[in-house]
Amino acid sequence: MARVRYGARTEAEIAAARAAGARLPDIWSTGVVAVWETDPDVVAAVLPPPLKPAERPLVRANISKVELPGYPLGAGSVAVAAAHGDQQGWYPLVMPMTHERALVGGREVFGEPKKLGEVTVERDGLVVRAALARHGIAFVEVRAAVSGPLPLPEPAEKVDFYFKCLPAVDGSGFDADPVLVHCVRNEKVRRLEGLTGDVVLRESMYDPVADLPVRTLVELTVGEKTTDQKGRVVERVAAQALLPYLHQRYDDPQQILDGPPQGSVR
C-alpha cells in the first residue's frame, strides 16, 4: 500500500525533524525599530493581569524582512513595555507575519498573537520606508532617512510575555486556564544605523494601535540582527482575568464567544 501521508510518522522521522530544527544556522533579518513614549493610562489599559506597566510607558514597533532559506519572510510586532514581578519585558499586541508557517508555530507553541499581514521594508539610498498592514490599512508606517552608523550593542537577552490559551468549545471561556509564557531571546546585531523621520499610526478597527499615540520618539533605527528564542511557562492565569483581553488577538471578537455557527463544517 502506498504511504498514507496523514498517517503517523515513525519515531525516526520525528527525531530527524527535531534534530533539523536544532541545527538551524543564524538567520539574519533587516529591519526598522521604532520606540516611542505614549500615555501611561493607555499602556495600563492593554495589559492583562498579572502584567504591570514598566517604569516608562513605551511602545516598540519592529518591522523586519527575514531571508529564510527558500523564501523571504516579513515579520513585525507592536508591543508595550511591561513587567511580571521583577522581570522586565515587552507585551506584544499584534504580530503580523507574511507566511502561515511562522504564524502557526508562534501561536500554537508560544501563544504569540500573530496574524497574517503585509510587511514592507524598503531602502533607496538613504531613504527608508517600513510598514505593517492588514486589510488594506498600513496601520504603522515609518518614513525616515538614514542619519549615520551607530555603535553595535553587545549581545543581549530580551523577554516577551505571551498568554497561551484555547477558547472553549462551547464559547464560554477557555478549555483550561491559560498560561503565561516568558519568551527569552538572545539577540546579536551586526549592523545598526540611526534614522531621522516619523512614525505614522493609522486608524484600523482590526489593529487599533492608533490608541497608542506617539508622544515622544525615543529610538528610530535600521539594522541587521539575528535572534534565537526559548519559551517557558511561568504560571497559570485565572481564565476570568484574561477573558476581557482575548479580543486583542482576533479580528472578530464574537467568533470566540458564540460557539460554532449552525451548519458549520466539522
Side-chain angles (χ1 to χ4, degrees):
M1 183 179 73
R3 176 168 184 176
V4 178
R5 287 169 290 178
Y6 274 131
R9 284 184 171 184
T10 66
E11 290 186 7
E13 288 172 322
I14 294 172
R18 185 177 295 116
R23 293 194 303 267
L24 287 175
D26 287 346
I27 298 174
W28 294 89
S29 65
T30 299
V32 169
V33 176
V35 178
W36 64 91
E37 193 166 294
T38 191
D39 299 331
D41 57 338
V42 172
V43 173
V46 302
L47 290 174
L51 299 183
K52 301 291 186 181
E55 289 186 5
R56 294 183 68 186
L58 298 179
V59 185
R60 181 192 67 193
N62 284 325
I63 309 172
S64 299
K65 283 291 184 73
V66 189
E67 294 302 325
L68 289 175
Y71 64 92
L73 168 70
S77 71
V78 178
V80 297
H84 178 226
D86 294 333
Q87 178 63 62
Q88 300 294 311
W90 295 89
Y91 172 64
L93 295 167
V94 61
M95 301 178 71
M97 301 284 134
T98 58
H99 291 291
E100 185 180 20
R101 181 179 179 184
L103 183 151
V104 171
R107 286 182 70 100
E108 295 188 2
V109 177
F110 292 96
E112 295 171 325
K114 290 183 172 180
K115 300 178 180 180
L116 284 175
E118 300 170 19
V119 179
T120 302
V121 180
E122 300 171 335
R123 178 167 180 171
D124 184 6
L126 297 179
V127 177
V128 174
R129 177 185 176 271
L132 301 175
R134 298 181 66 252
H135 301 286
I137 301 170
F139 58 92
V140 177
E141 183 178 5
V142 174
R143 298 177 296 199
V146 176
S147 56
L150 295 174
L152 296 183
E154 294 294 322
E157 180 181 281
K158 299 184 177 181
V159 176
D160 279 356
F161 304 121
Y162 305 125
F163 292 93
K164 185 175 180 179
C165 58
L166 285 174
V169 173
D170 63 4
S172 63
F174 300 101
D175 283 327
D177 283 343
V179 294
L180 175 60
V181 174
H182 285 192
C183 183
V184 181
R185 291 185 170 85
N186 294 297
E187 182 179 283
K188 294 185 293 186
V189 180
R190 69 181 181 186
R191 183 179 65 84
L192 190 65
E193 295 172 286
L195 296 175
T196 301
D198 298 313
V199 177
V200 178
L201 307 179
R202 293 189 178 89
E203 175 58 35
S204 169
M205 63 179 291
Y206 304 105
D207 305 289
V209 298
D211 290 350
L212 306 164
V214 180
R215 299 305 185 197
T216 304
L217 190 57
V218 175
E219 174 187 341
L220 194 58
T221 61
V222 60
E224 296 178 4
K225 67 181 178 182
T226 184
T227 61
D228 60 23
Q229 71 179 50
K230 293 182 179 179
R232 62 176 183 267
V233 173
V234 294
E235 69 171 90
R236 289 273 174 186
V237 177
Q240 290 305 311
L242 182 61
L243 188 61
Y245 298 87
L246 194 61
H247 66 282
Q248 292 174 344
R249 66 181 60 203
Y250 295 96
D251 286 350
D252 181 5
Q254 190 64 30
Q255 184 179 12
I256 60 172
L257 299 174
D258 60 5
Q262 294 297 317
S264 62
V265 177
R266 296 176 172 83

